[in-house]
Amino acid sequence: MERRYDIDWLRVIAIGLLLIYHIGIAFQPWGIMIAFIQSDESLSWLWTPMSLLNVWRIPFLFFVSGMGIAFAMKKRSVKELLFERAKRILVPYIFGLLCIVPLHWLIFQKYYEIPLAYAPNPGHLWFLGNLVTYIICLWPLFYYMKKDNSASRIMKRIFETAFGLLLVIALMIGEVLIVNPTAFEIYALTLHGWVLGAVAFICGYFFIHGGEKFWEMLIKWRFVFLLGAIGLFVLRLWMYNLKSSGPLLSIESNLWIFSILAFGKMYLNRPSNTLNYLSQGAYPVYILHMVYLYLGSALLFKTGLDTTLQLVLVTIFTFIGCLGTYELIRRVPYVRVLFGMK
């Protein structure tokens, strides 16, 4: 089976953007409201690029996770799949919940001189918790669709055409109309985030189920997707002050994702040593990044340095801290498992 290096690359890039987005939250005037250590001075200009990312970054990760399941199922039995995903997702989730999340919460409490207390919660690892529930609930459906039956053939034909993409958009719009979230961009530990993630996860599976014709169709329409996404973002920026309606945000989110997948397939589907290194480090970096972000914020935000310089230094500190720890983790077999590495 041919490996799709573009999907590996896009997963790595998405994790990198997640780190950058979380760093940006520390420089927003509402950062402390969601338990981030907040800079004394805000950088309001950051919110425009952050808002562009925010409508698609999390749904995109769920799409990619669904595609990963589709690839894994092609060479694994049910037992092998569930055992492997338990090691790669469930073990890091439990370890992170008990050992990693308390660390950055401790830093937050010390910084703001809050009495120390902790109740186990997933924190930023809620994404892994969602994946665990999706896999447990949906593996019978995926294995049924893997067989040569009428339902499998129908879904394959649907996702060989643009009708499959229209179906995805319709499902996403339906989700936001039915769930009616307070804000489209609030995914963590919400019903909206769980349902939207489940829809994206399932659709990601069917992107691979559609076969090569799906990707040919995606590439054919790539500029339409890109221009549509840009147009909806500009409309959101100039007409709605970045606060479009839920259905419009759903459409914009999907158009960004379709265009990213198309251009990724065209230009990123090739192996490299850099990809191999970063792909293995994606989970450890994701699990660790909040500890280094909070630590860097606590060390730098009271120094009186220029706020833009603080942004640069916190970013460097977070990435170096995560990658440096990854260098240690990757050399210890039993520790690797705790961070989702093979």
Side-chain angles (χ1 to χ4, degrees):
M1 182 178 61
E2 179 187 359
R3 185 168 186 86
R4 287 288 302 277
Y5 298 101
D6 56 310
I7 294 174
D8 291 336
W9 266 120
L10 291 174
R11 182 187 295 110
V12 167
I13 292 169
I15 294 296
L17 291 174
L18 175 69
L19 265 69
I20 292 171
Y21 182 86
H22 280 171
I23 292 167
I25 291 176
F27 294 88
Q28 298 304 304
W30 42 267
I32 194 172
M33 296 172 62
I34 55 174
F36 276 68
I37 294 177
Q38 182 179 307
S39 174
D40 292 338
E41 294 186 20
S42 301
L43 295 175
S44 58
W45 59 268
L46 274 177
W47 180 238
T48 298
M50 287 172 66
S51 181
L52 186 152
L53 287 175
N54 209 16
V55 299
W56 61 264
R57 61 187 182 88
I58 294 297
F60 179 79
L61 282 170
F62 282 121
F63 274 109
V64 170
S65 298
M67 288 187 270
I69 285 291
F71 282 120
M73 288 176 54
K74 292 184 178 182
K75 54 183 179 179
R76 291 176 177 84
S77 66
V78 174
K79 181 178 179 181
E80 290 171 336
L81 175 76
L82 295 179
F83 182 71
E84 188 241 6
R85 293 295 147 163
K87 287 197 301 181
R88 297 292 303 278
I89 300 175
L90 182 59
V91 170
Y93 175 66
I94 295 173
F95 170 72
L97 184 149
L98 297 176
C99 300
I100 301 297
V101 175
L103 288 179
H104 66 77
W105 183 238
L106 173 65
I107 297 169
F108 178 85
Q109 292 176 102
K110 292 289 286 183
Y111 184 82
Y112 285 109
E113 299 181 351
I114 299 172
L116 299 182
Y118 181 70
N121 71 88
H124 67 291
L125 303 179
W126 66 271
F127 176 82
L128 298 183
N130 280 28
L131 289 184
V132 169
T133 60
Y134 300 155
I135 293 168
I136 292 172
C137 295
L138 295 170
W139 71 260
L141 168 65
F142 292 159
Y143 271 96
Y144 176 75
M145 298 305 297
K146 181 181 177 181
K147 299 175 182 178
D148 184 18
N149 53 52
S150 57
S152 177
R153 290 191 293 270
I154 289 171
M155 293 306 294
K156 182 175 176 62
R157 285 197 292 269
I158 288 174
F159 278 88
E160 287 177 347
T161 69
F163 183 75
L165 300 182
L166 294 175
L167 177 62
V168 174
I169 292 174
L171 289 171
M172 291 294 195
I173 292 175
E175 180 277 324
V176 80
L177 289 175
I178 294 170
V179 177
N180 191 27
T182 304
F184 183 87
E185 302 90 338
I186 299 177
Y187 310 106
L189 302 174
T190 65
L191 177 63
H192 165 61
W194 196 91
V195 177
L196 180 144
V199 173
F201 187 75
I202 294 169
C203 291
Y205 170 87
F206 283 112
F207 285 1
I208 303 304
H209 187 72
E212 194 59 29
K213 287 186 179 180
F214 169 82
W215 297 95
E216 292 171 359
M217 176 270 298
L218 206 65
I219 290 171
K220 177 182 177 181
W221 294 100
R222 65 191 184 279
F223 286 109
V224 174
F225 303 143
L226 180 60
L227 292 174
I230 293 172
L232 285 174
F233 175 70
V234 171
L235 178 69
R236 178 159 59 100
L237 178 62
W238 294 106
M239 296 292 292
Y240 298 107
N241 193 29
L242 295 174
K243 298 177 182 178
S244 294
S245 66
L248 279 178
L249 289 172
S250 293
I251 297 170
E252 181 188 336
S253 174
N254 280 283
L255 292 179
W256 283 119
I257 290 167
F258 298 159
S259 61
I260 290 166
L261 290 173
F263 283 100
K265 178 66 163 64
M266 289 186 67
Y267 299 112
L268 297 177
N269 193 19
R270 54 181 62 89
S272 75
N273 291 332
T274 301
L275 173 61
N276 185 52
Y277 176 81
L278 294 177
S279 183
Q280 292 185 60
Y283 262 8
V285 168
Y286 162 65
I287 292 168
L288 288 164
H289 79 277
M290 292 291 274
V291 173
Y292 286 105
L293 169 56
Y294 277 47
L295 183 58
S297 300
L299 292 173
L300 289 163
F301 284 175
K302 296 298 185 182
T303 60
L305 293 172
D306 176 76
T307 308
T308 302
L309 179 59
Q310 289 181 16
L311 171 65
V312 173
L313 293 176
V314 169
T315 302
I316 293 171
F317 184 91
T318 303
F319 275 87
I320 290 178
C322 290
L323 291 174
T325 307
Y326 163 55
E327 276 295 320
L328 298 176
I329 292 168
R330 65 196 290 258
R331 289 169 166 78
V332 186
Y334 295 106
V335 175
R336 289 169 63 95
V337 177
L338 297 176
F339 289 88
M341 298 180 67
K342 293 181 179 179

